[in-house]
Amino acid sequence: MHVFDRRTGLNVLFDEVEVSEAQWARAPRQVSIALTNACDLACPFCYAPKTAAVLDAARLCAWVDELNAEGCLGVGFGGGEPTLYRRLPQVCRHAAERTSLAVTMTTHAHRFTPQLIDALAGAVNFIRVSVDGVGSTYEKLRGRPFTDLVQRLTRIGQTFRFGLNCVVNTHTLSDLDAVADLAASTGAAELLLLPERPARSRPGSSPHTVAALHQWITNYHGPVVLTLGEGDSGSLPTAQPLPGETGLRAYAHIDAAGTLRRTSYHSAGERVDDRGVIAALDRLQQKGVA
């Protein structure tokens, strides 16, 4: 039995309580949803599709309702850049007020104005801000002033719990100490480290870079919690608190064209049609994508 508090992110597993498979949740524990493929940045390592696509808000809210009814614990909105989605406040408010789902979001944060913060306050439980370096490294990769980012983080931290995401490659590896310091100084709850994945003719992080990242993690003694993407831990000792929730029981992704996939990196998927998200999930499982 898995109990979750969306306000704090606390997970409690009562592994001495066994329930029949018929009582297991049909939905994944967490579902990420790309609201739009649009983005106003052009990061060289971005893997998101560049074809124009945006989800219909009414369909999206129906999917959120279905996931909630089928035992999902949280939805994470991304893109593209989710703050370019015109109905973002309304969709987040729908999830917060009509479901028990945790609502999270991954963003570059540069569109977080006081007005948007007010519109999302109380409707978003956690915000993940993509950083990928500090100072000139950040500015070269993301094309925005680093000082602007720090100001946005300060604003966000006054209203929301948040964490930083850092794609790790040869350009950002040397900035890890500074990124960790940024996370600590701005009050971030966690630092998510993501070795770059191969995308659009880029090879991704080399074995040397991944090994250096693992060594950095081993030597890290900072106050901010470190997290890694699934499958990126290598030989690092990591806890597996939910051993029964793996594959599509743990996580699924819906892209901005409405296709459900195992993750955003997988090419195989199933269209979410009028039969709903769980029907698409069942079809994906039948294909052996678990």
Side-chain angles (χ1 to χ4, degrees):
M1 183 178 295
H2 182 184
V3 180
F4 175 67
D5 185 340
R6 71 176 182 178
R7 296 167 301 170
T8 64
L10 176 67
N11 290 267
V12 179
L13 181 68
F14 296 96
D15 56 2
E16 71 276 13
V17 179
E18 295 187 9
V19 298
S20 68
E21 188 170 350
Q23 294 177 280
W24 293 0
R26 296 181 66 199
R29 182 173 72 247
Q30 173 79 15
V31 175
S32 67
I33 304 176
L35 303 178
T36 175
N37 284 342
C39 185
D40 46 355
L41 302 187
C43 303
F45 47 77
C46 180
Y47 61 86
K50 300 307 175 186
T51 54
V54 62
L55 292 177
D56 175 77
R59 290 184 68 209
L60 176 58
C61 287
W63 296 346
V64 167
D65 291 343
E66 180 188 7
L67 289 169
N68 179 64
E70 296 294 347
C72 183
L73 300 183
V75 290
F77 295 133
E81 171 52 42
T83 57
L84 289 170
Y85 187 71
R86 296 178 64 182
R87 299 291 299 278
L88 178 64
Q90 293 88 338
V91 169
C92 291
R93 187 70 57 187
H94 175 96
E97 296 179 354
R98 301 191 185 186
T99 79
S100 58
L101 295 168
V103 180
T104 64
M105 182 186 311
T106 300
T107 173
H108 61 50
H110 285 285
R111 297 177 62 86
F112 264 78
T113 62
Q115 293 77 18
L116 180 60
I117 289 173
D118 288 344
L120 295 177
V124 177
N125 301 103
F126 196 83
I127 292 175
R128 302 182 184 278
V129 180
S130 299
V131 174
D132 312 321
V134 302
S136 60
T137 302
Y138 177 87
E139 292 174 353
K140 181 178 179 180
L141 292 172
R142 295 195 167 261
R144 295 294 178 91
F146 179 68
T147 53
D148 285 1
L149 171 71
V150 176
Q151 292 174 1
R152 305 289 181 180
L153 291 177
T154 300
R155 289 180 183 174
I156 289 170
Q158 291 170 349
T159 303
F160 307 97
R161 293 181 67 246
F162 76 98
L164 302 187
N165 295 354
C166 181
V167 172
V168 181
N169 54 34
T170 55
H171 300 291
T172 63
L173 182 64
S174 60
D175 275 30
L176 286 180
D177 285 339
V179 170
D181 289 344
L182 176 67
S185 66
T186 55
E190 68 175 41
L191 171 56
L192 173 59
L193 301 169
L194 300 165
E196 182 183 345
R197 300 291 183 97
R200 292 202 298 276
S201 301
R202 289 178 62 93
S205 293
S206 67
H208 173 77
T209 298
V210 173
L213 168 63
H214 289 179
Q215 186 61 52
W216 183 87
I217 292 171
T218 300
N219 296 332
Y220 173 77
H221 298 290
V224 179
V225 173
L226 299 182
T227 57
L228 274 171
E230 183 181 7
D232 291 329
S233 59
S235 60
L236 288 171
T238 57
Q240 295 186 7
L242 304 170
E245 296 180 24
T246 60
L248 286 169
R249 291 196 181 280
Y251 177 82
H253 172 75
I254 302 175
D255 66 23
T259 299
L260 185 139
R261 308 178 189 276
R262 184 180 185 274
T263 73
S264 55
Y265 303 107
H266 281 70
S267 57
E270 283 290 327
R271 178 79 175 175
V272 183
D273 55 22
D274 292 341
R275 291 170 289 180
V277 177
I278 301 303
L281 184 76
D282 289 343
R283 296 195 301 274
L284 197 58
Q285 287 174 322
Q286 290 167 8
K287 289 182 174 181
V289 183

